[in-house]
Each structure stands twice: as structure tokens, then as C-alpha cells.
């Protein structure tokens, strides 16, 4: 075996290294936000040399964008339009470590200049386009944006401010109440 910048004596696996960097970045960006996460911290958590982050992604900003886009794309690809909002809400509300932390990552990093742009432009627009198909109303795009704004607001109140009773509410109750109200905007949301 040849030595690599990853670890002496270990054969390099580019796909595994890239995945380890994405996973480490996702965890740290969600916990600390973009500005307080360093390249060194990401590399250390991934168990690789920090030069590999630049080799595979080019910059911390590009890694951040890939972390956000990866999670958003997976969510968009695995849920039909009529279930997208409820699945996103459930994912955000799941207790423990397995929940989708994309919203939390975005919220903790939204004041970091252009790093939030990928969410607004790529993922946010895709979500809005899909949600807009759930109504035949002439203002479908506005209705979709309002539903997304509500989702974002729930995330802020529950995750960042911890305001009760929302922060401690049962996820099933939240989903039931939100979907009942959202159907006023997007009648085919389920």
C-alpha cells in the first residue's frame, strides 16, 4: 500500500474520502454554521488531510453548497409532490440524530454572505416549483412561497428560539395542524 495524505499506509478511496468530507461538513455546518466551521475541523472529523477538501471540492464554500444541495436533491427525488411538504416538515421535526438537518444548517449559516444563495436559488426554487403544482390557482407560485415561508418559520421558532409550546410539541400534532391549514393554499398537499 502506498502512503497518502489521508493516513499513512492506507490506500486512498476517492469516493469514500469525498463522502466522509460531505458527512463531516454536514454535521459541523449544522452544529456551528458556516462561519464557525473550519476546513481543519471538517478534515479532522473526516479523518483526512485538509488538502483533500480543496482537491475534491475546491473550497469550503463549494463543500457547503454541495452539502445543502445533496440533502435537498435527495429529498426532492424521494418524495412525490403531494407529500413533499409533509415529508420536509416531518424530517425537520424528527428528534435525534437522523433528522434532515438542511434547514438547521441553512438557518445557522444564512448570515454568511453568498453561502446561502445555493439554497435560495437551486433548492428553494425547486421546492417552490414542485409545490406550485399542487394548486390550480393563478397565484400558485405565491402560495408555494407562503408554504415554504411557514416551514422556515417553524424551523426558526422550534430549532433556534426553542419557544414553547412549539419546541416541545408532538411532531404528529404539528404535521396534522400545518397540513390542514396548508391545504387552503395548496389543496393537493398531503
Amino acid at each position: 500500500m502506498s502512503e497518502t495524505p489521508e493516513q499513512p499506509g492506507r490506500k486512498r478511496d476517492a469516493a469514500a474520502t469525498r463522502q466522509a468530507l460531505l458527512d463531516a461538513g454536514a454535521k459541523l455546518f449544522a452544529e456551528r454554521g458556516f462561519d464557525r466551521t473550519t476546513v481543519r475541523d471538517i478534515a479532522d472529523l473526516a479523518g483526512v488531510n485538509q488538502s483533500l477538501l480543496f482537491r475534491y471540492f475546491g473550497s469550503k464554500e463549494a463543500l457547503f453548497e454541495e452539502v445543502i444541495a445533496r440533502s435537498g436533491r435527495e429529498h426532492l427525488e424521494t418524495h412525490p409532490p403531494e407529500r413533499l411538504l409533509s415529508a420536509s416538515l416531518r424530517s425537520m421535526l424528527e428528534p435525534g440524530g437522523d433528522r434532515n438537518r438542511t434547514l438547521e444548517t441553512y438557518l445557522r449559516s444564512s448570515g454568511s454572505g453568498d453561502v446561502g444563495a445555493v439554497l435560495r436559488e437551486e433548492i428553494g426554487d425547486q421546492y417552490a416549483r414542485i409545490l406550485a403544482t399542487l394548486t390550480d390557482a393563478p397565484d400558485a407560485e405565491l402560495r408555494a412561497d407562503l408554504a415554504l415561508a411557514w416551514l422556515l418559520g417553524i424551523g426558526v421558532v422550534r430549532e433556534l428560539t426553542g419557544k414553547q409550546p412549539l419546541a416541545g410539541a408532538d411532531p404528529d400534532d404539528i404535521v396534522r395542524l400545518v397540513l390542514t391549514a396548508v391545504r387552503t393554499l395548496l389543496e393537493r398537499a398531503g
Side-chain angles (χ1 to χ4, degrees), residues 13-14 19 29 78 83 108 110 136 146-147 156 170 173 181 187:
D13 177 347
Q19 186 63 45
F29 290 139
T78 57
R83 296 278 179 223
R108 292 194 190 284
S110 61
D136 296 323
L146 288 169
V156 168
D170 181 272
D173 290 339
E187 52 278 358

Side-chain angles (χ1 to χ4, degrees), residues 1 12 17 40 58 61 63 68 76 82 84 86-87 93-94 97 117 119 122 126 138 146 164 189:
M1 287 189 168
R12 185 177 344 148
T17 299
R40 174 172 280 148
E61 292 82 1
L63 172 65
I68 297 298
L76 288 164
E82 62 277 1
L84 183 60
S86 63
L93 298 172
E94 283 179 17
L119 253 182
E122 183 180 339
Q126 287 178 28
L146 288 169
Q164 296 297 336

Side-chain angles (χ1 to χ4, degrees), residues 2-23:
S2 64
E3 292 189 12
T4 69
E6 294 176 49
Q7 287 185 358
R10 189 172 99 190
K11 187 176 179 181
R12 185 177 344 148
D13 177 347
T17 299
R18 191 173 195 289
Q19 186 63 45
L21 287 164
L22 280 166
D23 293 343

Side-chain angles (χ1 to χ4, degrees), residues 142-181:
L142 175 59
R143 289 167 178 255
D145 278 351
L146 288 169
L148 286 175
W150 196 2
L151 189 68
L152 185 64
I154 290 168
V156 168
V157 173
R158 186 170 167 105
E159 298 298 325
L160 296 185
T161 70
K163 184 183 177 302
Q164 296 297 336
L166 181 57
D170 181 272
D172 289 335
D173 290 339
I174 295 170
V175 171
R176 178 180 47 80
L177 291 168
V178 168
L179 288 180
T180 298

